[in-house]
Amino acid sequence: MGKGGSLSESVVKKIFLSYTYVAIWIFLSFTVIVYNKYILDKKMYNWPFPISLTMIHMSFCASLAFLLVRVFKLVEPVSMSRDLYLSSVVPIGALYSLSLWLSNSAYIYLSVSFIQMLKALMPVAVYSIGVMFKKESFKSETMLNMLSISFGVAIAAYGEARFDTWGVILQLGAVAFEATRLVMIQILLTSKGISLNPITSLYYVAPCCFVFLLIPWIFVEYPVLKETSSFHFDFLIFGTNSFCAFALNLAVFLLVGKTSALTMNVAGVVKDWLLIAFSWSVIKDTVTPINLFGYGLAFLGVGYYNHSKLQALKAKEAQKKVSQADEEANRLLEEREGEGLGKRNESQD
């Protein structure tokens, strides 16, 4: 009885911790998005400098990642040669910097709710780019699913009250660069047996991002900031904003490490709906019925895609277990045959 009780307690504890990690990730992801919108929006804090904000994030995150990896040694670094860094990490850093720059820029022109709806196109972009680079196999059923997601997002865009063409171009560009980055991680790092968690990823990629962002910043934002003599760096605003961005990476580390990537996908759906509700109720962004209908269609498509991926993963794992069991059975059979042969030789002697 006691054993059964202790087992149920451990299961309850595990479930409680899983939900805690999910809640922390949703809260931090939610906070970073709303905080970035607050800083960049001209009607709020009115600091429309997305490259500068992203550079502040990268320098802060790179510094803290360096402390965790090199000074406090809480996270093990990955052994990486200079050639590997230049050929693999640098291209990923370039794509990441472009993705962050464009996605932060979109907050100046679009509502938080509409941006979340456009982000539903991420599986479409990842699958399409994966097929282009031969990392995904083309399937008519999957492509039909991708078209249904795209159709849903198109309806949501049609119903958007504050539609801004430039803002949509920026957000779609951010989705395209982020999807390419995710595929490139598979091609340039995972295929070579290199796995980066969010902390080691920041340690290697954040300095690279900072350097890439420095080039457009010198020409685009620096001249404007130079003339804005009234601006004073607000350490409280930018410090807490950067800390939230870093804490979000830690939360991803915990969530994926202690649960699974699928849990993060499901949590992401919950977060998106919460952001849409928050955008409508608190920020007073207009969310139309056509918006919700379109996003609902896209949401069902994304849910089906995640379900299909999970089923494929389960089938792969089951096949792997069967092959391992076969290998183990063959090994035992060989051992027994060897033992039998040894005994026969002994009896003949």
Side-chain angles (χ1 to χ4, degrees):
M1 185 75 181
K3 192 177 178 180
S6 64
L7 181 66
S8 62
E9 281 176 21
S10 67
V11 169
V12 169
K13 188 180 177 183
K14 193 176 180 181
I15 293 168
F16 176 75
L17 283 173
S18 295
Y19 277 106
T20 303
Y21 294 136
V22 168
I24 290 168
W25 180 81
I26 289 175
F27 172 76
L28 287 169
S29 183
F30 185 99
T31 303
V32 168
I33 289 167
V34 174
Y35 212 157
N36 286 353
K37 172 68 175 174
Y38 168 75
I39 291 171
L40 295 163
D41 197 301
K42 291 175 182 178
K43 294 177 184 176
M44 298 182 194
Y45 189 75
N46 189 23
W47 199 69
F49 300 103
I51 305 175
S52 302
L53 182 65
T54 310
M55 285 174 70
I56 291 166
H57 286 174
M58 289 298 104
S59 56
F60 185 89
C61 290
S63 302
L64 281 186
F66 178 83
L67 288 173
L68 288 173
V69 174
R70 290 293 178 192
V71 179
F72 299 112
K73 300 189 188 299
L74 294 172
V75 181
E76 280 291 319
V78 177
S79 58
M80 191 178 295
S81 66
R82 185 182 170 185
D83 289 342
L84 184 63
Y85 183 84
L86 291 172
S87 63
S88 301
V89 175
V90 169
I92 290 165
L95 290 165
Y96 194 38
S97 60
L98 286 165
S99 168
L100 291 171
W101 172 16
L102 296 185
S103 63
N104 280 335
S105 299
Y107 286 113
I108 300 169
Y109 305 97
L110 302 175
S111 66
V112 170
S113 56
F114 187 43
I115 285 172
Q116 299 315 117
M117 292 176 192
L118 289 174
K119 282 181 181 178
L121 286 169
M122 185 60 76
V124 180
V126 171
Y127 178 72
S128 303
I129 292 163
V131 169
M132 278 171 57
F133 284 99
K134 293 182 170 54
K135 293 304 290 182
E136 293 274 0
S137 55
F138 180 85
K139 292 177 184 173
S140 301
E141 186 189 351
T142 308
M143 187 49 74
L144 195 66
N145 186 13
M146 296 299 113
L147 288 171
S148 72
I149 296 168
S150 304
F151 182 64
V153 173
I155 292 173
Y158 176 76
E160 176 58 25
R162 280 185 55 206
F163 187 89
D164 185 285
T165 306
W166 181 238
V168 171
I169 290 168
L170 287 169
Q171 185 55 48
L172 292 179
V175 168
F177 282 122
E178 179 62 11
T180 309
R181 182 184 77 91
L182 293 171
V183 174
M184 285 295 114
I185 286 172
Q186 286 184 318
I187 295 169
L188 299 175
L189 292 178
T190 311
S191 62
K192 295 172 185 174
I194 297 167
S195 178
L196 298 177
N197 64 49
I199 307 305
T200 51
S201 181
L202 282 176
Y203 175 73
Y204 290 109
V205 177
C208 185
C209 282
F210 183 88
V211 172
F212 275 113
L213 289 166
L214 194 61
I215 299 161
W217 180 78
I218 290 167
F219 298 103
V220 178
E221 291 186 3
Y222 176 66
V224 184
L225 281 166
K226 198 177 176 183
E227 290 176 11
T228 315
S229 56
S230 59
F231 172 73
H232 297 289
F233 190 84
D234 192 328
F235 283 96
L236 179 64
I237 291 288
F238 294 107
T240 51
N241 179 245
S242 298
F243 182 78
C244 286
F246 182 78
L248 177 59
N249 281 280
L250 280 177
V252 172
F253 184 39
L254 281 173
L255 186 62
V256 177
K258 302 294 182 182
T259 57
S260 67
L262 183 73
T263 305
M264 189 173 160
N265 282 342
V266 174
V269 170
V270 174
K271 180 226 18 172
D272 289 344
W273 282 106
L274 285 172
L275 275 165
I276 290 167
F278 180 85
S279 178
W280 170 73
S281 60
V282 179
I283 304 176
K284 303 299 178 187
D285 286 331
T286 305
V287 179
T288 66
I290 298 173
N291 269 153
L292 292 175
F293 175 71
Y295 183 63
L297 284 179
F299 163 72
L300 289 173
V302 172
Y304 180 75
Y305 176 70
N306 284 335
H307 173 73
S308 301
K309 292 285 277 186
L310 178 64
Q311 294 304 111
L313 193 67
K314 280 182 176 177
K316 194 177 177 182
E317 285 294 317
Q319 194 176 7
K320 191 178 175 182
K321 282 179 182 176
V322 168
S323 62
Q324 283 176 346
D326 287 344
E327 283 176 15
E328 183 67 18
N330 287 334
R331 188 180 63 80
L332 288 169
L333 192 64
E334 283 172 9
E335 282 179 5
R336 283 173 185 172
E337 284 177 355
E339 285 173 7
L341 187 65
K343 284 177 181 177
R344 280 199 299 272
N345 289 336
E346 282 175 15
S347 61
Q348 285 172 3
D349 290 343

